[in-house]
Amino acid sequence: MLGATWITFAGSSTLLLLTEPDWQAAAPKVTPHLPTSIETSLGARESRWPLARSGRYTLEFTGHAGAIADGSALRIALNRYQGDEAVLCPVWTDAVETTQAASAGDTTLHFDVQWPPARRGADWIILDENTARFEIISVSALDANAGTLTTSALALSWPVGTRAYPLIIGKLDPRPTTTNVTAERSAPQITLVENSDYSHRLFPSEAAAAPATVGGGVPAFSSVPIWTIPPDFSQPVDRTEADVWALQIGFARQEQRVAYDNPVRRGLDFQFAQTNRRLIASVERFWFERLGQAKAFFVPTFRADLEPTADLPASGDASLVPIAASLYSDPDYSNHPGAPYLALIDNADVIEAHKVASVDLAGLHLASAVSGTFAKAETRISHLQLSRFVDDTLSWEYTSPVFARTTLKFIERAEEYLFAPPSLKESVFLYQFALILPNGSVQTWRFTSYEQAFTVAGDGAYNPAPFSHDTVKTTGTLEAEDATIASAPFDGNPLALLLPFGLEGRLSLTILEADYANPGATPDVLYVGDALSLDPKGRAWQATFRFGNRLFDQQFPRCQIAKADNDAIYTPGSTIQLSGWAEAATLASISSTDPTQIDLNGVLDSPPEGHYVGGLLECGSGTSYQSRGILHSITVGSVQRVTLSRPLDGVSVGAAVTLYPGYDQSYTQRRDKFSDAAGFLGFPWVPDENPSLDAVPAEQSAGGKKG
């Protein structure tokens, strides 16, 4: 056996764990998790947002390293594992066994249709019985009825009876600990948490069929799904919850208690023991279809809550259900909003849902007729509760590769009998960055924090990347509308443009909110702002964006009574634009002692010293565009030597650059250098000192020392 080894997977060094579980030592666990956001009002009404559609699986098991070499291989591999590398492991609970030999080059594996996997992914591994020989393949399709896997071309040949497993790709969290059973045998405790791109995810192996619905017996909820899988009745639990405010004041014997006027919520805890993978998959598919906690459904109690006294449908009145004496008939006891909803269940667990219209001495009068046949002695009348799943996880414990148990908890949403929950977005947050360069070109990036790419019609595709935002700060005066963006370094992150010095242009951000369930709808704009700062703390980046950037820090009016020009040349609205004053040149050399000092060839004529001071130098285009201010310029022989505001980044000798002359804001230079006296917006004849003010003469010391 091979306990663990390092391989190259998807171009990266990856740890492959091949330590098999010890099925007798502890039950392996497979647990999908679906993140959901739930907000509850004082009226107990919930708003539920699914944050993803794919599960994040966790695989937990106690490994069996029965030989010295197996345990040593695992320890040596773990000594190299730093924690940021991907880890691959077979999902041991979902093996398929081949029924036909496969040759190198084949693209189909045939397996036993009695044992299809409950879940699968795009990545699989084929193993021999000693796990010493393996092959990783890609699976594009699975047909559980035909028993086939459509795969990439096999590199090796495999005999009948070979096993293939879906792979889980993730991280070891926590790191494994190993118990030494004997001097030779060891038992590592392994927990692998899925941590992969969407394309490498695990998911239920068969496409989810539309779940059964309540039907016409409950007209108002006819299209709502109903749970039809019976529990195994191993200690089922029912419970109730209520909303009560309580406070202990002083040392009195009684608390101060106030009950909110919300209906009591009924809960159910059921255990399900599924004896084959199709049954396991049926539970998991329903859970995924309801997006874990997000969507409500009806679930029967599966117990005998009421006792029928006649076969159904009753003779002469198919909507009448005669029942034995019960407090259910007393309106003082059955005033719960969920009380009218019942399910008829026969010995074969056929379920028919109904709503009770009225109750009298004859029995229950249903809103619609009973359509099935239910024998009195074989029928249970169960309460039917509009519920959701309590947990955002579904944990399976396997006692063998085909037998698993799970406990599911349901909680009633009593307020939703009367008030349907709001139809909320499956929010997909989109981040559109745009770099507006001084030369007018624009570079755009599109990212999403969602688990998979999202396309906006007429805009483009937004690809997954590590971005998130806090609550956007807004004010009535606009000037402090800030957004804080969390991110991490990766190739192509536009926030990296803020490092190491500053932006070459203006980096704007637009945050949009789209609806995954309605991709054709126009996304809502949540925020628009410009980059203000970046705080890179290791791999945890935090950027601040502000609406208008520093626009609101500027002085208004901007026209000052001064000799200096109020017009900023090369900006929109000025009569002097970049296009009219561009001078092409070539980088001749970069000073070895001062990288801000460069020499340029090809400059027109021999401009006077300081001609380019205050001007601009540009080079590159797109994301490689750079611009630098010019601090000094002088003609030295045949070259123009300039000193830049900071060194050029990654520019080599021979590169083409563009120069723009500088401007000292004086009337004389505007008139003589740019031939644009009419465009001067200053006041050149203003005296240096205010003539309306008399200077106070300074006191002159008479000399001598102070005594």
Side-chain angles (χ1 to χ4, degrees), residues 59-120:
L59 174 64
E60 302 174 73
F61 63 93
T62 299
H64 173 66
I68 296 174
D70 301 335
S72 295
L74 178 61
R75 291 184 179 91
I76 292 170
L78 289 175
N79 287 343
R80 179 177 161 184
Y81 177 63
Q82 295 293 326
D84 60 348
E85 306 95 336
V87 181
L88 301 181
C89 184
V91 183
W92 300 106
T93 58
D94 287 288
V96 297
E97 188 169 305
T98 59
T99 56
Q100 297 181 25
S103 302
D106 285 353
T107 57
T108 302
L109 285 179
H110 299 268
F111 62 85
D112 190 340
V113 295
Q114 295 185 23
W115 310 114
R119 52 198 71 86
R120 71 177 180 93

Side-chain angles (χ1 to χ4, degrees), residues 607-631:
E609 180 177 354
H611 179 73
Y612 298 102
V613 173
L616 186 68
L617 180 144
E618 294 181 331
C619 64
S621 61
T623 55
S624 63
Y625 171 87
Q626 300 179 58
S627 66
R628 300 290 185 268
I630 298 175
L631 306 181

